[in-house]
Structure formats: structure tokens, C-alpha cells
Amino acid sequence: MKAIRIEEYGDSDALEVVAAEQPEPGPDQLRIEVRAAGINFADIQQRRGHYPGGPQPPYGPGLEAAGIVDATGENVGLQEGDEVVAMVDGGGYAEYALADPQQVFPIPEGMSFEEAAGFPVQFLTAHNCLFGWGGLEEGESVLITAAAGGVGTAATQLADRAGAEVFGTASTQEKLDLTAELGCDHPINYVEEDLAESVQELTDYGVDLALDGVGGDTTTACLDATRDFGRVVAFGAASGAPGTVDTGRLLFENKRVIGYHLGMSMQREPMRVLEAVPDLQEGLESGELEVIVGETFPLGEAAAAHRYIEDRKSTGKVVLTP
């Protein structure tokens, strides 16, 4: 089968197309004939060697795969031919991938494989950060960083659907227009405007909740943009550097910073993460929620797909199609 392999850390050229043996499922696994593989920024950080606890080369990248169940182990309840999407422990950039049935979901009716590949990581992260970890309630206000990205487009829709006032950041007018279409009440161009000042001018006191997937200086900006007794959920460091927090500020401003990592949460409290699934499936099946697929690339052009994201050209989800 055709697969992508990383032999050593590096830039996008480290993604090599190779001929690999088709993996065989163990008794508690299933094999998916991959029709679409989602790309996450974590894949890029892992490829660079900057992801804490990430895989060591050589390895096969890819954390999401949508397709058709091709083979199952003896302890797996799913059937061959089922259309599914899965969070996988690497190896998603391939024509076939193995998955743990506990991390496999049926594809909602009417959803394409490309759309399905953008469902698990983005929507579970967004829903968990907003509600399970962030405690967002109807009538509150929320700031979503990188609102035109994969998690951002999911979080914007979910927050709007929940009756929140939504503030979202993006770097171009095209991306700002997309966030507005998805329910963002206050799109903010973080290149041209000071994030915290813009939020404070619009609210006089700051937002109740901020989702920070960027890290670095953006973490400080999110704290500046939240009101006293507000909270920040930190779930990523797309800037390449994690943010730092002055605990004195938390003390005197009565603010909270909450950490979220999908992979670690799935390992330690999977049921807490998966509580979001029924609500997400209902929203996707009804059409209230939509997976935004920004661009698709053939599997063999995985390097170009990574560059596309790194150059900040992408909106929504970028997907590989074997």
C-alpha cells in the first residue's frame, strides 16, 4: 500500500511516500480502507520534533482517518463495510490504517469522507474546550483564537449555537468573512488590531471565556481580554511556543487558566471527552453544524499540504485523499 513515512524530523520534505505492507488488525483492532485523512497542526509539530511526547522517527504520521471498515479483530463489534471515522495512534496518512474501536465513530448520514476526516479532533476539541472544560453557558461571551482554522470553525459554530456572544480572530478579510458566516459576532483582524484592546473596547470589561490554541504572546492577550473571574482554556501552541502565565494576575484578577489536551484526556478520562459525541452527531446530522473542508490534497502531496498550512493559507480542515 502507499503510505507517508517520516524517517527523521525536519521540514515538509521529511514526508516521504513509501510502499508499505498492509497492516493486520489485532484481536482488539479494526482496519480502515482510508478514503480521507485529516491533517492537524499536531502533525506538523510532531514532524518538526517539537511536540512533547510525540513519536520518534521513523514513524507514520496522521491522527484521523475516514473510510470503510476493511477487516476486524475477533473482539470488535463493527462489521466490514461500515463507514467510519477514527482517531488513530499514527499511520493515518496511508491507504489503510488500524484503529481502536473505542475511538471509532459512525459517519453521520449525508457526510462525505472528506468532511468526516475533519470531525473527531476538531469538533471534540472545540466542544470539550467550550463546555466540558470551559463551562460556557448561554448568554456568556467567548473569544476564539484562529477562528477560521479547523478547531476555530467548529468552536465558532458551537458557541453561536449555544447562544453565546462570539469574538473570533483571523488574519485576512477572507478568513474574517468566513468566521462571520459561521456565527462570529465580532471578527477581529489580529494583524491590524490589538486583540485585547479590541475586545475591551467592544465589551468594556472583557469576555467570560477565551480559547487559546496559539500560545506565546497570544496567551497573555487572551488573559488581557478576559474579565475578572473569567477563564482561559489553553489547548495548543500553534505559534511554536507555549504561553506563560503570571500567577499573581490569576490571584488578584480571580482568573483561571485551564489546560486541555485531547490525546491525554482520551487516555485518562475518555468518557469525559466522549460525552460530547451525541450532541455533535445530532448537530452534524441535522445540519446545524458543518465541517468546513478548506482544501484537499492527494496523499502523495502530503508535503505540499503541510506547507499550505504552515504558510497560513488554509481555512477550516485540510484533508489528504488516498
Side-chain angles (χ1 to χ4, degrees):
M1 69 171 186
K2 183 187 294 184
I4 302 298
R5 192 80 171 165
I6 293 176
E7 296 295 332
E8 58 183 23
Y9 295 134
D11 60 20
S12 58
D13 291 335
L15 297 163
E16 300 179 12
V17 183
V18 301
E21 290 188 11
Q22 192 177 82
E24 292 297 329
D28 298 310
Q29 292 179 310
L30 58 85
R31 185 173 67 204
I32 298 172
E33 180 187 342
V34 180
R35 299 296 179 86
I39 298 178
N40 294 284
F41 201 80
D43 301 340
I44 293 172
Q45 293 290 72
Q46 289 178 0
R47 188 206 73 216
R48 294 169 175 170
H50 297 166
Y51 199 87
Q56 300 290 319
Y59 72 93
L63 303 174
E64 290 172 299
I68 299 171
V69 176
D70 168 69
T72 67
E74 58 189 30
N75 300 327
V76 177
L78 291 164
Q79 304 296 315
E80 293 181 18
D82 287 348
E83 295 186 356
V84 299
V85 58
M87 292 188 292
V88 297
D89 188 20
Y93 294 8
E95 292 180 324
Y96 293 87
L98 298 180
D100 179 337
Q102 292 187 327
Q103 299 189 44
V104 174
F105 313 99
I107 295 178
E109 185 176 351
M111 181 178 286
S112 69
F113 289 116
E114 290 81 4
E115 291 169 327
F119 159 53
V121 170
Q122 269 69 31
F123 274 85
L124 281 174
T125 296
H127 197 289
N128 287 169
C129 287
L130 286 170
F131 307 113
W133 274 249
L136 182 68
E137 297 182 356
E138 183 178 1
E140 288 193 314
S141 54
V142 58
L143 169 64
I144 299 168
T145 59
V151 173
T153 52
T156 298
Q157 294 177 75
L158 286 164
D160 177 62
R161 177 172 172 253
E165 183 179 9
V166 184
F167 298 72
T169 70
S171 59
T172 68
Q173 190 59 50
E174 178 186 7
K175 293 181 178 182
L176 293 168
D177 291 343
L178 173 61
T179 66
E181 291 173 9
L182 296 176
C184 180
D185 301 293
H186 306 286
I188 298 170
N189 188 323
Y190 67 85
V191 176
E192 299 177 356
E193 305 173 54
D194 182 274
L195 172 56
E197 288 181 3
S198 296
V199 171
Q200 294 293 349
E201 289 173 3
L202 289 165
T203 63
D204 293 329
Y205 57 87
V207 295
D208 297 293
L209 172 66
L211 302 192
D212 173 28
V214 180
D217 293 339
T218 301
T219 302
T220 302
C222 284
L223 275 170
D224 292 341
T226 54
R227 66 171 180 83
D228 285 2
F229 297 94
R231 60 265 187 208
V232 176
V233 177
F235 67 93
S239 66
T244 57
V245 177
D246 178 354
T247 56
R249 288 194 61 181
L250 304 185
L251 172 67
F252 285 100
E253 297 173 19
N254 290 284
K255 295 180 179 179
R256 289 179 285 156
V257 177
I258 304 154
Y260 174 85
H261 186 277
L262 176 60
M264 290 296 102
S265 298
M266 279 295 294
Q267 287 183 27
R268 294 165 183 170
E269 291 193 36
M271 297 312 298
R272 183 181 178 190
V273 174
L274 298 176
E275 285 177 359
V277 171
D279 184 48
L280 291 175
Q281 288 183 320
E282 178 184 339
L284 290 164
E285 289 173 357
S286 69
E288 289 183 290
L289 303 174
E290 176 187 2
V291 178
I292 305 300
V293 179
E295 195 69 43
T296 60
F297 290 80
L299 179 64
E301 296 181 14
H306 273 218
R307 287 194 295 271
Y308 185 75
I309 295 172
E310 290 174 290
D311 291 342
R312 299 186 179 183
K313 296 178 179 178
S314 62
T315 56
K317 186 73 171 183
V318 178
V319 174
L320 297 174
T321 53

